[in-house]
Each structure stands twice: as C-alpha cells, then as structure tokens.
C-alpha cells in the first residue's frame, strides 16, 4: 500500500470546505479511494494506534457510521459522541471551541457535525489536530461531495462533460453546495438547478460556479428538466432548517421522483440522493438499475478511508 499510494499531493491541516480542494488534490483522493475499494485488505494497519473522535451535534447514520467504520478498517480506534448535545458538556453550555480544545488532546483527528453554518471553521481554528467537517448547518459537507463525485466516476466512467440536475432543497442542502463546488473543477460541467425560488441555490455558490465557467440553468419544474440529464441528484427538503412548520409544509413534496419521472430520465443517466430520503423518491424507483443511491452510500466507506489515510496516514 505504501508503494501503491504516492506521497500526498497536499496534506491538509483541516477539511472544512470543498473550496479547500484543488483539482490535483481531488484527483489524488479519488485515486486513493479507488485503491481502498479495490484492495481493502491492504489498508488494515495504515492508522494503527491513531484515535478518531467523532463529535455529532446533529443526527447522522451514514456519515458517522462510515467514518467510524473507515477508522476501524484502517486499524485505528474511535471515541464517539453520537448525540453530543446530550452526551457531552455542551449540555452544560460549553462552546464548540472549548470542547474541541480539550478533545484534541485525546484524539489524533476530529470529525464534527454541527447545526450552525461556520461552526466547523471556528472549531478548526481552535483545534491542534486535523478536523473534518461532517456537515455544518446549511454550509458544507465536503466528504459527502467527494463520495458523490467518486460515485459519478464509478457509475458513468467520467466526471467531465456532464449535465447534472440538482433537485429539491438547494438552498439549505449542504451536500449540493459542496458537490457543486467540486464539479466546478471539471470541464464542460452544466448544472440544471431544479427548485422553486425559495429553495434555490444561494449566490455564494453561484459565484464560484460562474467564475469557473460552469453553465447554470434555473428550472423550477422537474418534469421539464430531466429529458437530457446525465445525473439527477435529488435531495430532501431540509425540514430542520425552516423557521416554522408552515414554511416547511409549503414546499415539501414539491418535486417527487416516481416511475413516470424515471421513464423520462435518459437510459444512460443515474439517479443519486445523499440519503436519508423521506418522500422525494418513491420506493417503487429503488429497483430501477439507474437508482444509484444505495451504491452511493456504500462508497462512503472507501472514500472516507482514503480521506483519513490522506490526512493522517504514513506519507
Ligand atoms: C445529508 C446531510 O446530512 O447533509 N445526509 C448525509 O450526510 N448523507 C443529507 C440530508 O440530511 O438530507
């Protein structure tokens, strides 16, 4: 493995935003993830003796379990607060900066999920060990974006010259925000932003995309957007980010993927979703070979193994 994985392109201190990653680094990480997927048996001692602290202030299934599994499969150990607001001193009013300042003495790397946008950046500033953002409110989720990109390459054989439709809650969906920034590094990316105005992608990400020359099209109607897509990336309306139940009810169920929509999605295309899905993809779609979301979730393991190894492993 030491020979197979070349020296890191740029070993990061923290991984807070997709915007921290350049194209060379992205390619290197994807290559490492392919290696992890193909030869998991080579990975078992890469992080022997290292400790990961997983600190989750918001619910998680895939992200937390796959990070913890990745660390264990690399030979490391895990300390976990799966419900940090109850299980840690946050319940006593401690700030995230103080919590991280203490935990960094007990672990070699911290994986943090937090409901506030910007919390990961603040926590990274206080941490003396590498910190990975596993979702900060409606901000970013860079490791999900990397596994999404890995999935696109695995499924379609490339990540350039693709027309990708993002549907659902593009305003609060941190996975879309992070993935869009990664896709800006690839040639010929075209994005179709399928959402009503109140759920549309925010200007900060649009600026990144425009500067990179990405073609953007706003299309509120899912039915009108899908005929020529390579990827339909559906997302959950992020109920927990709405100011009131009424505001959420006004937009829930706005775009549902069902067999009728799938009939119009090209045969070459794939349907992705970061999961959890609520009712925005009906279960009748799951058996369609183009439904890639459970394969996508599985890719979380090799991609997070690659990320941990890249940040913490032997050069
Ligand atoms: C996403 C998240 O937490 O942002 N889930 C995930 O990490 N796979 C998407 C979501 O919660 O809707």
């Amino acid at each position: 493995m030491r020979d197979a994985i070349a020296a890191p392109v740029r070993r990061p201190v923290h991984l807070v935003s997709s915007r921290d990653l350049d194209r060379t680094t992205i390619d290197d990480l994807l290559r490492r993830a392919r290696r992890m997927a193909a030869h998991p048996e080579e990975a078992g001692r890469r992080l022997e003796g290292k400790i990961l602290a997983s600190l989750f202030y918001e619910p998680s299934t895939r992200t937390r379990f796959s990070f913890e599994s990745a660390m264990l499969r690399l030979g490391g150990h895990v300390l976990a607060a799966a419900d940090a607001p109850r299980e840690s001193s946050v319940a006593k009013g401690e700030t995230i900066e103080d919590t991280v300042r203490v935990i960094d003495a007990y672990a070699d790397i911290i994986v943090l999920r937090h409901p506030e946008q910007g919390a990961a950046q603040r926590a990274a500033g206080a941490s003396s060990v590498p910190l990975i953002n596993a979702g900060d409110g409606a901000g970013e989720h860079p490791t999900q974006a990397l596994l999404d990109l890995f999935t696109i390459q695995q499924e379609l054989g490339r990540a350039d010259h693709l027309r990708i439709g993002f549907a659902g809650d593009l305003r609060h969906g941190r996975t879309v925000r992070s993935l869009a920034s990664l896709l800006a590094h690839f040639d010929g990316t075209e994005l179709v932003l399928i959402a009503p105005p109140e759920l549309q992608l925010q200007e900060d990400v649009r600026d990144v995309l425009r500067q990179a020359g990405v073609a953007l099209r706003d299309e509120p109607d899912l039915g009108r957007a899908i005929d020529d897509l390579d990827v339909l990336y559906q997302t959950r309306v992020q109920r927990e980010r709405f100011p009131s139940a009424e505001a959420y009810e006004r937009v829930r169920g706005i775009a549902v993927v069902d067999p009728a929509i799938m009939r119009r999605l090209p045969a070459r295309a794939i349907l992705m979703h970061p999961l959890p899905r609520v009712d925005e993809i009906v279960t009748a779609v799951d058996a369609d070979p183009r439904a890639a979301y459970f394969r996508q979730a599985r890719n979380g393991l090799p991609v997070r193994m690659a990320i941990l190894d890249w940040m913490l492993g032997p050069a």
Side-chain angles (χ1 to χ4, degrees), residues 168-216:
D169 190 350
L170 316 186
R171 179 179 185 80
H172 308 105
R174 54 200 176 193
T175 73
V176 167
R177 292 168 51 79
S178 287
L179 178 56
S181 300
L182 287 192
L183 288 167
H185 291 281
F186 291 82
D187 292 337
T189 298
E190 289 183 35
L191 298 182
V192 187
L193 305 172
I194 309 160
E198 59 270 45
L199 298 184
Q200 262 300 358
L201 192 66
Q202 301 200 54
E203 278 304 317
D204 61 330
V205 185
R206 286 176 189 258
D207 281 345
V208 171
L209 297 168
R210 282 193 212 103
Q211 274 166 29
V214 172
L216 293 178

Side-chain angles (χ1 to χ4, degrees), residues 17 100 103 105 136-137 141 179 184 197-198 204 209 225 249 255 261 265 287 293 315:
S17 163
V100 160
I103 288 182
D136 62 324
H141 195 350
L179 178 56
E198 59 270 45
D204 61 330
L209 297 168
E249 288 302 330
I261 290 286
L265 187 70
Y293 30 92

Side-chain angles (χ1 to χ4, degrees), residues 101-124:
R101 224 168 254 140
V102 172
I103 288 182
D104 69 6
Y106 311 148
D108 300 292
I109 192 161
I110 297 172
V111 175
L112 173 72
R113 171 169 288 187
H114 198 280
E116 272 170 49
Q117 188 165 350
Q121 188 66 56
R122 286 193 280 117

Side-chain angles (χ1 to χ4, degrees), residues 56 58-64 113 134-137 140-141 143-144 147-148 169 172-176 233-241 273-278 280 296-297 304:
F56 278 69
E58 268 193 344
S60 170
T61 305
R62 278 147 291 271
T63 304
R64 187 172 68 81
R113 171 169 288 187
D136 62 324
E140 286 234 28
H141 195 350
T143 67
Q144 177 73 38
L147 81 87
D148 292 343
D169 190 350
H172 308 105
R174 54 200 176 193
T175 73
V176 167
Y233 188 106
Q234 172 70 315
T235 62
R236 177 177 71 86
V237 178
Q238 308 278 297
R239 183 211 300 251
E240 63 276 32
R241 312 270 178 247
H273 190 303
L275 303 177
R277 119 272 336 244
V278 187
E280 62 279 358
Q296 181 184 350
R304 292 189 167 112

